[in-house]
Amino acid sequence: MIGFARLLEIQPAHMKTIFLVDDSATILLSISGILTKAGYGVEKASNAADALKKFQSGVKVDLLITDLNMPGMNGIDFIKEVRKLPNYRFMPILFLTTESQQSKKAEAKAAGASGWIVKPASADELLNTIKLVMR
Amino acid sequence: MDEITTVFVTESREQLAALEDALLQLEGSPEDNDILNAVFRSAHTIKGGAGVVECNFIVSFTHVVENVLDRLRNGEIKLNGDLVALLLACSDHIGNLLDVLAAGTPAPDADLAAEGSALLNRLQRDWLEKGSGGDAPSSTPPSARDEPLHSSGGGEVETDCWHISLRFGPDVLRNGMDPLAFLRYLTSIGRIVLLETIADSMPNADEMNAESCYLGFEISFASTADKASIERVFDFVRDDCTLHILPPHSKLSDYVALMSQLPEDPMRLGEILVRVGALTQAELDDGLRKQQAPPENDSADSAPQMPLGEILVEQKVVSPELVDAAIIKQKQVNDKRAAEARLIRIPADKLDKLIDLVGELVIAGASVNLLATNTGIGELIEATSLTGRLVESIRDAALQLRMVQIGETFNRFTRVVRDVSRELGKDIELSISGGDTELDKSMVEKIGDPLMHLVRNAMDHGIEAPDVRVANGKPARGRLELNAFHDSGSIIIEVADDGGGLNRDRIMAKAVERGLIQPGQVLTDAEIYNLIFEAGFSTAEQVSNLSGRGVGMDVVRRNIQSLRGTVEVSSTVGQGSRFAIRLPLTLAIIDGFLVGVGRSAYVIPLDSVVECIELTRDSNGRDYINLRGEVLPFVRLRELFEFRGEAPARQNVVVVQYAGLKAGIVVDSLMGEFQTVIKPLGTIFHHVKGIGGSTILGSGEVALILDVQALIQRCTAHETQRAEQPASIR
């Protein structure tokens, strides 16, 4: 059973994987829907601790999108932690923010984020922003 | 409702519960930043989700609430009881709005909308304008931003295109950004008409660092987007680049100002501008001439044009809020919250289906087991017994899925106690313990109403008014306890207060008045207290808004009984009363103990079985035995169910225990443990005492499940009348 599950995780080489971290199930569902439709592989976690565990286990990720305001470890500390991991030093990181959280942008960029997505984003905005930072 | 909306509604209800919870905590410790952040986050998550599902009436309402919370978080306003009450009302209103969304109605009805705007007005008037000193909301960008572009002098430049001057800083590549990606992104909002690459800052090959970026671009860009949208394209590199954007039909003087701000030589830039089509040669010449002309000619025009660069620079300045943000940084990990967030949501009916199927599997498994045993093939028996063990594990795991913590139900009462005690003018503190006790989800849903009734009763009738309490030498603040814990296969939920206790004499008098008992009848305390569960009984002298209509307690008992539970009362005059609700762990499948009488099989719930002993011959004729010095009354199933024929030479006593009482059940044979899928009996069997349900054995026969509680009562309370009225089920 476990073997089969692993098989399902193996994706075609060209498929980019995006790791999505948000405590809001609504956001996770909507963004992952857009990403999947656009042909990206999506990994999800609802908090920073779980996400870090996956990163520490060496999951293959081309882009991280994380919320900033989460219970437990907040997004900015999370980004700092991810940047400490050698495999993910150069991975692009986008964070989710709202217009009311302008001040967080500089703080998150200083922590190592590449850019941000303003919630709620249209599918086009989201995908364009992803293309902007993803290699 | 589509999937996202369903998830949003479910999630938001949880967030609301968390919000309410945190607000109440906050009232006790208004300085706690962690709790404040939790409140803010809940509102924020709801608003964010509402934006995703495009539910504007929730977004706009929650937005104002969030603003108030933000001011609170920034220390601009102070929390007090009024604000908590107002925010709680807002939280209720959001709940109502969620109902509207869940019902698929496009907008709230007039009443709800009026309620919403009333709340918004109060928020706006009392908490958003107060103390702000009338300064404009900081979220609105200064509208002056674009003005200089329209008021400056010189002729208009004849082009429909935006002009973008872009110089990437040396660190762009090192920061993981690809300059080309930005140009590509730019094309998503318009068309690049002409583009000139500026490589003037490129050093000689030996000085060049391959990791540095030396490029700049002059771009003529056709787009209907506004300036902010174009700026946003370069948001991620704003700190790493210089960016100048001129709208179509900008004044010539703006271009001149631009040229003076760029690092390259103005003459060369002018040529480039001409090349990308931003300016004609004539315009360029005109512009350069103007720049050299004495400024007093058109000082009114040129004065506002110069700040263009400053404005652009200003827009790049790091916001001072950064400092605030660092202060508000949240620290504490709330483990429980994090654990909740790891949940998977599945519709309850899928789970019920699974439990049903597991029930069928258990029955089918028992049948296979029986057949295998009949064949006598050792290997087959071993294999089926392994399957049996696995089925048992699956059963436990499946049932575990339905188990939820009672804490959430308990926490609802924090709010109830707060509201009701205010209403009654009493000071009551609620203490909750055992919130992590788990019980079946369907039971959690159904126990809410009876609990609510008991809690309200305790507050209304149990706990006295503060002056009465002080006069009686008790603290003015009353105490209400909600406890939950496991007790031999059952869950006990207690509602206890430290009020006046139940008044025996008043209950007796009322019961006589209502014709429930005869005057002069002698009753034990427990019997008297149980009278309050009779229909139509109420001792409150004044019927209050909350309770005391006398329709409650019998409904409470009925509801609890429908969950196969019981409720017991204990009370001490002057010290308070305690209602203990005893519920079975689960409603679907139990571990049973199979016993035989004659040719029939019965199931005794294993949880209540203490031990089994042989019935010694000398006890024949008596209805009790000596169990290690203890008198153990028993009931003979053979007599109770009127079996014909002689009892076998050897009989067994199954010692059972329920709610602290022990009794024996005499049966012919003991057949061992049996996984019992409970099937309800039809309504015509409802009056039969001593039978709780039925189940199907592996052989396909029906076995009745004994109601241990009823049998114990029969043994202990009515021991003497036992022979008079044997219940008949056959």
Side-chain angles (χ1 to χ4, degrees):
Chain A
M1 263 189 330
I2 293 159
F4 185 60
R6 282 230 72 90
L7 266 182
L8 288 177
E9 279 176 21
I10 296 172
Q11 287 143 0
H14 62 270
M15 190 183 203
K16 299 274 189 187
T17 303
I18 297 178
F19 201 129
L20 193 55
V21 187
D22 197 310
D23 59 316
S24 161
T26 314
I27 302 272
L28 277 185
L29 189 64
S30 72
I31 296 189
S32 65
I34 294 170
L35 296 181
T36 314
K37 249 184 234 158
Y40 292 107
V42 181
E43 286 273 344
K44 284 183 279 191
S46 59
N47 61 69
D50 279 2
L52 268 182
K53 258 181 235 152
K54 286 201 185 178
F55 277 119
Q56 277 152 358
S57 72
V59 62
K60 185 191 165 301
V61 176
D62 298 286
L63 168 72
L64 167 65
I65 301 181
T66 176
D67 192 18
L68 285 190
N69 199 350
M70 292 185 286
M73 183 189 287
N74 70 46
I76 289 172
D77 289 344
F78 170 54
I79 292 172
K80 287 182 191 159
E81 288 301 315
V82 173
R83 283 288 185 232
K84 283 184 200 160
L85 300 170
N87 285 344
Y88 304 101
R89 277 194 52 199
F90 303 110
M91 168 183 66
I93 299 180
L94 290 174
F95 56 91
L96 294 165
T97 180
T98 56
E99 287 301 345
S100 61
Q101 288 179 313
Q102 291 288 347
S103 58
K104 290 268 176 194
K105 285 183 186 170
E107 206 185 336
K109 282 213 78 171
S114 320
W116 57 85
I117 296 166
V118 176
K119 291 189 281 190
S122 73
D124 281 348
E125 280 168 336
L126 182 72
L127 295 172
N128 279 332
T129 310
I130 287 170
K131 277 185 211 134
L132 185 58
V133 295
M134 187 125 91
R135 289 175 285 270
Chain B
M1 270 199 298
D2 58 21
E3 193 191 357
I4 291 192
T5 312
T6 314
V7 168
F8 167 68
V9 170
T10 319
E11 175 177 41
S12 299
R13 288 203 202 288
E14 283 164 18
Q15 291 290 350
L16 275 185
L19 181 106
E20 196 173 298
D21 211 33
L23 274 175
L24 292 169
Q25 280 181 46
L26 205 54
E27 201 176 18
S29 48
E31 303 299 322
D32 192 325
N33 262 338
D34 290 344
I35 305 178
L36 198 51
N37 262 322
V39 173
F40 181 82
R41 186 167 51 237
S42 295
H44 189 71
T45 304
I46 294 172
K47 193 185 92 171
V52 169
V53 300
E54 293 174 346
C55 178
N56 288 327
F57 55 87
I58 295 184
V59 174
S60 51
F61 185 83
T62 317
H63 180 68
V64 180
V65 176
E66 193 190 346
N67 283 349
V68 171
L69 291 173
D70 198 34
R71 294 200 66 191
L72 198 58
R73 204 166 64 153
N74 294 338
E76 293 168 46
I77 48 177
K78 285 270 168 274
L79 191 81
N80 61 21
D82 287 347
L83 182 53
V84 170
L86 181 58
L87 287 173
L88 284 173
C90 289
S91 142
D92 290 344
H93 184 70
I94 295 172
N96 292 337
L97 293 179
L98 284 172
D99 290 340
V100 171
L101 176 67
T105 323
D109 63 24
D111 286 352
L112 198 57
E115 186 194 316
S117 42
L119 288 170
L120 287 184
N121 282 339
R122 284 177 60 196
L123 287 174
Q124 197 75 36
R125 190 187 65 223
D126 298 340
W127 300 102
L128 282 178
E129 283 154 18
K130 196 169 82 175
S132 65
D135 47 45
S138 56
S139 58
T140 328
S143 56
R145 186 190 277 192
D146 289 333
E147 273 169 20
L149 299 175
H150 299 294
S151 63
S152 54
E156 268 188 20
V157 169
E158 290 302 311
T159 168
D160 293 335
C161 293
W162 294 79
H163 184 79
I164 303 170
S165 293
L166 183 64
R167 301 288 179 276
F168 284 106
D171 287 333
V172 165
L173 298 170
R174 268 188 286 270
N175 288 342
M177 297 297 173
D178 177 3
L180 193 57
F182 289 92
L183 298 182
R184 224 181 278 132
Y185 189 15
L186 194 59
T187 60
S188 71
I189 57 166
R191 185 170 61 88
I192 295 178
V193 180
L194 277 163
L195 181 142
E196 188 82 10
T197 306
I198 313 288
D200 288 24
S201 56
M202 181 77 79
N204 293 331
D206 50 345
E207 292 166 27
M208 192 184 122
N209 182 336
E211 286 180 1
S212 294
C213 177
Y214 303 100
L215 294 180
F217 300 95
E218 294 293 325
I219 304 162
S220 196
F221 185 59
S223 171
T224 51
D226 58 5
K227 188 169 178 209
S229 309
I230 299 176
E231 273 179 346
R232 208 173 296 136
V233 171
F234 302 99
D235 255 356
F236 299 170
V237 284
R238 276 311 275 283
D239 301 333
D240 286 331
C241 76
T242 49
L243 174 69
H244 300 274
I245 300 173
L246 291 183
H249 306 294
S250 284
K251 303 287 179 284
L252 185 52
S253 49
D254 296 334
Y255 281 92
V256 175
L258 169 65
M259 282 188 274
S260 64
Q261 281 161 9
L262 291 173
E264 291 86 7
D265 171 47
M267 289 310 288
R268 179 171 144 60
L269 273 175
E271 285 164 27
I272 290 166
L273 288 179
V274 172
R275 227 182 303 158
V276 296
L279 301 175
T280 63
Q281 188 63 45
E283 283 168 339
L284 175 65
D285 294 346
D286 190 22
L288 291 174
R289 236 189 345 268
K290 266 214 166 127
Q291 198 182 28
Q292 275 134 31
E296 50 262 38
N297 283 4
D298 50 6
S299 62
D301 287 341
S302 57
Q305 95 198 13
M306 291 318 285
L308 174 65
E310 283 173 40
I311 290 165
L312 289 172
V313 171
E314 232 171 61
Q315 286 163 8
K316 292 187 292 182
V317 167
V318 177
S319 121
E321 292 157 42
L322 180 60
V323 185
D324 299 353
I327 297 168
I328 307 160
K329 207 170 127 182
Q330 56 187 74
K331 297 148 266 171
Q332 202 34 57
V333 178
N334 186 332
D335 286 340
K336 188 168 165 284
R337 277 289 151 64
E340 275 173 4
R342 282 197 290 273
L343 298 180
I344 297 174
R345 279 161 235 272
I346 37 168
D349 51 349
K350 279 192 189 170
L351 208 53
D352 291 344
K353 176 85 182 154
L354 176 68
I355 304 277
D356 273 357
L357 286 174
V358 170
E360 298 300 323
L361 183 62
V362 167
I363 292 173
S367 154
V368 172
N369 221 345
L370 189 74
L371 291 174
T373 315
N374 288 347
T375 61
I377 303 170
E379 283 169 347
L380 180 60
I381 295 171
E382 203 166 305
T384 51
S385 97
L386 174 65
T387 321
R389 278 204 303 281
L390 285 174
V391 168
E392 209 168 308
S393 309
I394 291 174
R395 176 203 68 175
D396 289 345
L399 286 176
Q400 196 59 42
L401 290 179
R402 284 170 61 112
M403 301 300 256
V404 295
Q405 296 190 346
I406 193 152
E408 210 173 303
T409 310
F410 276 3
N411 288 341
R412 268 179 26 206
F413 287 101
T414 321
R415 171 81 182 274
V416 173
V417 169
R418 179 188 179 279
D419 289 355
V420 172
S421 55
R422 279 198 165 193
E423 210 170 304
L424 294 170
K426 294 179 183 175
D427 185 11
I428 299 170
E429 144 192 44
L430 175 69
S431 133
I432 291 175
S433 71
D436 55 354
T437 310
E438 291 188 324
L439 74 164
D440 198 281
K441 176 152 176 57
S442 56
M443 256 187 286
V444 168
E445 284 161 6
K446 289 179 190 142
I447 203 66
D449 284 351
L451 265 186
M452 180 71 80
H453 218 98
L454 291 176
V455 165
R456 292 195 150 187
N457 259 333
M459 296 174 70
D460 200 11
H461 306 314
I463 295 176
E464 314 91 325
D467 46 338
V468 178
R469 290 180 63 90
V470 173
N472 289 337
K474 291 201 243 183
R477 167 171 261 211
R479 187 179 162 83
L480 188 69
E481 282 176 36
L482 281 176
N483 305 320
F485 52 91
H486 286 267
D487 177 60
S488 58
S490 306
I491 297 226
I492 317 281
I493 300 170
E494 283 186 340
V495 180
D497 64 69
D498 67 346
L502 294 173
N503 187 324
R504 275 190 55 139
D505 300 338
R506 249 165 67 196
I507 295 173
M508 288 284 276
K510 184 66 100 182
V512 171
E513 186 192 315
R514 300 268 165 175
L516 297 171
I517 54 168
Q518 298 301 314
Q521 202 172 331
V522 178
L523 297 171
T524 64
D525 280 1
E527 283 168 328
I528 292 171
Y529 296 150
N530 277 330
L531 287 173
I532 64 171
F533 293 111
E534 296 299 326
F537 186 94
S538 172
T539 61
E541 274 136 17
Q542 244 184 341
V543 171
S544 81
N545 191 11
L546 299 165
S547 52
R549 280 175 294 257
V551 289
M553 291 307 252
D554 62 315
V555 177
V556 168
R557 185 167 63 174
R558 255 210 317 278
N559 283 350
I560 293 170
Q561 280 173 344
S562 74
L563 297 172
R564 295 197 293 123
T566 56
V567 54
E568 293 149 31
V569 197
S570 57
S571 172
T572 314
V573 173
Q575 287 178 25
S577 38
R578 182 171 293 265
F579 289 80
I581 300 171
R582 178 179 287 269
L583 294 171
L585 272 176
T586 176
L587 295 171
I589 306 178
I590 56 168
D591 271 320
F593 188 69
L594 201 59
V595 296
V597 181
R599 292 182 55 208
S600 302
Y602 295 89
V603 175
I604 303 172
L606 194 61
D607 300 325
S608 54
V609 174
V610 182
E611 60 180 318
C612 299
I613 49 174
E614 200 176 319
L615 184 67
T616 44
R617 279 184 180 283
D618 60 315
S619 61
N620 274 348
R622 280 183 287 147
D623 283 337
Y624 58 89
I625 51 167
N626 179 345
L627 179 69
R628 294 184 291 275
E630 211 180 307
V631 176
L632 184 78
F634 60 71
V635 54
R636 294 171 199 267
L637 279 194
R638 185 166 273 278
E639 282 177 24
L640 181 65
F641 296 143
E642 291 183 330
F643 276 86
R644 291 193 191 87
E646 272 301 301
R650 277 182 63 174
Q651 292 188 87
N652 293 284
V653 182
V654 181
V655 181
V656 293
Q657 182 172 19
Y658 188 86
L661 293 172
K662 267 187 194 174
I665 298 173
V666 179
V667 298
D668 291 359
S669 54
L670 306 173
M671 301 193 286
E673 287 181 30
F674 177 72
Q675 286 191 68
T676 311
V677 181
I678 299 178
K679 302 277 178 189
L681 287 171
T683 41
I684 57 164
F685 294 109
H686 263 210
H687 68 284
V688 179
K689 300 273 187 243
I691 300 294
S694 65
T695 188
I696 301 167
L697 300 178
S699 60
E701 284 175 68
V702 171
L704 295 171
I705 301 168
L706 299 180
D707 179 352
V708 170
Q709 183 209 357
L711 290 176
I712 287 183
Q713 271 173 2
R714 186 181 187 84
C715 288
T716 54
H718 305 289
E719 203 181 342
T720 50
Q721 305 151 20
R722 185 190 52 80
E724 288 170 22
Q725 262 192 332
S728 169
I729 57 157
R730 314 199 99 213

